[in-house]
Amino acid sequence: MASQPPPSAVSRARFVIVMVAFFASWWVVRPIWHALDLQGPVERALPMLIPALATVVFVRTMTAISPRNPALRRYGKGLLACLLSYMALLVLAHVAEGALPAASPLMIVAAIAPVLPMLACLGVIGRYFVEEPDEYQRMLAVRASLVGTGVLLAVAMVWEAFQQAGLAEAPHSGLAFVVWCAGFGIGRVVQWRPA
């Protein structure tokens, strides 16, 4: 009789709660900055500890789904490195915004810098698709990415309709990645299959 792999230590409910907390943590930083009128580099960095902590918890929970899967562990480490780098570079970009002239080459570099870890995230996700040894888990991840793409397209089309009707303003383009990631998470939860 073949031995069964140990059941996942992560329940679907726990994963959903951690995922929702992870996405929600990103929305509290800007209101904290504005409400407390935080200006200095250290002051502006402190609220970023909220999504940083949520990111660590999220990645640990995600990799606990299949603790013996090296591809998932590498994916988690890569994702963690990208997201924490993004947060650090975002704080530096905000600091540079007040300290550098608007059109200076350094300001251009500071403005682009936070985008680079997000682009690296796409590479990390693609590498996971290639390295996942379990074909079934790979198929579930690819399906989840298709759900993310569908959610992004649906939100973009609805938002465009609202914009054409004068009911909404042009969205912040950085939200596209967030919407795709939320759709990817929804896709993973809907077809939940712990390894």
Side-chain angles (χ1 to χ4, degrees), residues 77-88:
K77 287 178 184 176
L79 201 60
L80 187 62
C82 290
L83 293 173
L84 294 179
S85 298
Y86 168 74
M87 289 178 231

Side-chain angles (χ1 to χ4, degrees), residues 177-195:
F177 188 71
V178 174
V179 170
W180 183 87
C181 288
F184 182 80
I186 291 166
R188 289 299 280 180
V189 169
V190 166
Q191 53 181 353
W192 181 265
R193 304 286 189 282

Side-chain angles (χ1 to χ4, degrees), residues 89-102:
L89 291 171
L90 187 64
V91 170
L92 290 175
H94 282 293
V95 170
E97 190 178 309
L100 298 173

Side-chain angles (χ1 to χ4, degrees), residues 93-165:
H94 282 293
V95 170
E97 190 178 309
L100 298 173
S104 71
L106 282 177
M107 188 58 213
I108 293 169
V109 169
I112 292 172
V115 175
L116 300 177
M118 293 295 95
L119 295 175
C121 261
L122 297 175
V124 168
I125 293 166
R127 187 179 75 187
Y128 171 68
F129 290 163
V130 170
E131 292 180 350
E132 173 56 64
D134 184 328
E135 291 178 15
Y136 182 68
Q137 291 297 327
R138 185 181 323 126
M139 186 259 317
L140 293 177
V142 170
R143 267 195 204 165
S145 72
L146 291 173
V147 171
T149 303
V151 168
L152 175 59
L153 288 172
V155 168
M157 289 186 294
V158 170
W159 198 284
E160 177 67 22
F162 284 164
Q163 200 176 343
Q164 293 293 328

Side-chain angles (χ1 to χ4, degrees), residues 34-70:
H34 293 301
L36 300 178
D37 194 29
L38 301 176
Q39 299 299 325
V42 174
E43 294 170 334
R44 289 189 73 85
L46 284 176
M48 291 301 283
L49 293 175
I50 298 167
L53 178 62
T55 299
V56 170
V57 171
F58 174 69
V59 169
R60 287 183 59 118
T61 303
M62 180 190 65
T63 55
I65 291 170
S66 183
R68 293 186 182 165
N69 183 338

